[in-house]
Amino acid sequence: MGTITTRDGTQIYYKDWGSGPVVVLSHGWPLNSDSWEAQMMFLASNGYRVIAHDRRGHGRSGQPWNGNEMNTYADDLAALLDHLDVRGASLFGFSTGGGEVARYIGRHGTARVAKAGLIAAVPPLMVQTEANPGGLPLSVFDGIRAASLADRSQLYRDVASGPFFGYNRPGAKPSQGVIDAFWMQGMMVGHKNAYDCIKAFSETDFSDDLKKFDVPTLILHGDDDQIVPVDAAARASAKLVPHAKLVIYPGAPHGITDTHKEQLGADMLAFLRS
């Protein structure tokens, strides 16, 4: 575990576990690298070097007022890979982290990348526009912003205990531990950073970034994802990424890194070994 300092002086915290071929993991909003801990433990135990950082403003990284947008997130990831001189890496992004991975490849190419994975990821574009009629209305994200300003602690509890993990579905068995972990990670995010990131993950168009993918790519999503709907995300991304492998988990929610961690770990490992 360590930190790097970016060009604008922001400290970025990262974990570096295990040894072997490199896997790099980018997390979702409003979480941090701890949200990947099941996959980090599993992959590092199976012969991989697994690196995961806390995005600027999140977790144990610095909380700058500026730079809370996808270009800078991608440049921070580039700075980390350059600092560690990572080569032949497999980059996986969950949710917002999928946007970060897409924008990294769009801006920095694949010189350091061997494979890519988009896990319940936000690309190509979340918000509804004339060109993206299947997206979510801007009012949805305005509502998240309003809730964040009103009582973000309660917002994180509501998201975690409801749609994020599918705990609002009939027959679901909520884990209070999983809900508490989500809330704790959320409360570690800088207030301004969390607020700005809502625009970053919802209004950034990654279509051109996806077209630049030239490495084997896994796109994996639950078809009961209430946060990032599968049709406007995974299925649309699969049409833009050349030769992508699309895997759909029937009935799975957004937070599959927890709810489907055994299946996800096995699928990630199989993809890495393929």
Side-chain angles (χ1 to χ4, degrees), residues 52-97:
H53 66 295
D54 291 357
R55 185 174 300 113
R56 66 169 50 216
H58 297 63
R60 290 137 295 203
S61 291
Q63 297 184 2
W65 188 256
N66 297 314
N68 305 299
E69 37 72 28
M70 281 293 166
N71 286 351
T72 305
Y73 295 159
D75 292 350
D76 289 347
L77 177 57
L80 176 63
L81 300 189
D82 290 348
H83 173 79
L84 297 174
D85 195 23
V86 164
R87 299 182 186 278
S90 296
L91 305 187
F92 289 92
F94 168 76
S95 195
T96 299

Side-chain angles (χ1 to χ4, degrees), residues 43-155:
L43 295 175
S45 298
N46 277 277
Y48 289 85
R49 178 187 176 191
V50 189
I51 298 165
H53 66 295
D54 291 357
R55 185 174 300 113
R56 66 169 50 216
H58 297 63
R60 290 137 295 203
S61 291
Q63 297 184 2
W65 188 256
N66 297 314
N68 305 299
E69 37 72 28
M70 281 293 166
N71 286 351
T72 305
Y73 295 159
D75 292 350
D76 289 347
L77 177 57
L80 176 63
L81 300 189
D82 290 348
H83 173 79
L84 297 174
D85 195 23
V86 164
R87 299 182 186 278
S90 296
L91 305 187
F92 289 92
F94 168 76
S95 195
T96 299
E100 182 177 285
V101 167
R103 184 50 52 91
Y104 170 87
I105 290 176
R107 285 173 70 83
H108 299 277
T110 54
R112 295 188 180 276
V113 181
K115 295 184 178 183
L118 303 176
I119 311 298
V122 299
L125 174 62
M126 283 197 73
V127 74
Q128 186 180 72
T129 64
E130 286 188 14
N132 186 45
L136 295 172
L138 182 62
S139 59
V140 171
F141 305 106
D142 288 341
I144 298 172
R145 276 184 280 266
S148 181
L149 292 176
D151 186 347
R152 73 188 186 107
S153 178
Q154 189 61 50
L155 169 65

